[in-house]
Amino acid sequence: MTANLTDVLLVVDVQNDFCSGGALAVPRGEEIVPVINRLISRFHHVVLTQDWHPPGHRSFASSHSGYAPFTSIGMPYGSQTLWPDHCVQGTFG
């Protein structure tokens, strides 16, 4: 398969914190990396996105005393799942 000049490969949030051992790991998440690397060579245009948060982000459970990761709380915009600290700007994750 060779992509057309107008085709785009969009790679969303492939980051250390979403791989095995990461703060918000997806089981075997790192196994997608070699596949992505092979696909990149077939596209003229590749867009990579990155999930990042400042330290103390409101979606982190650590920012809400007494709340554990994966619980939900009400926020002004609606229900929010509280996550472990992950993809903090400037970190390895």
Side-chain angles (χ1 to χ4, degrees):
M1 173 196 120
T2 300
N4 294 318
L5 285 173
T6 56
D7 292 340
V8 175
L9 175 63
L10 177 61
V11 182
V12 178
D13 298 348
V14 179
Q15 293 171 247
N16 293 322
D17 271 349
F18 298 133
C19 295
S20 295
L24 194 54
V26 174
R28 300 171 46 199
E30 65 283 351
E31 292 179 14
I32 195 66
V33 174
V35 176
I36 292 168
N37 288 338
R38 283 193 302 273
L39 285 172
I40 284 173
S41 66
R42 298 180 182 188
F43 284 80
H44 295 280
H45 307 285
V46 178
V47 176
L48 305 167
T49 70
Q50 187 175 40
D51 181 45
W52 66 269
H53 307 283
H57 192 266
R58 292 177 65 184
S59 69
F60 294 162
S62 64
S63 296
H64 303 273
S65 182
Y67 288 89
F70 307 108
T71 58
S72 293
I73 64 168
M75 297 287 253
Y77 51 81
S79 181
Q80 171 67 56
T81 298
L82 297 177
W83 305 107
D85 292 23
H86 68 284
C87 300
V88 176
Q89 186 179 21
T91 68
F92 179 75

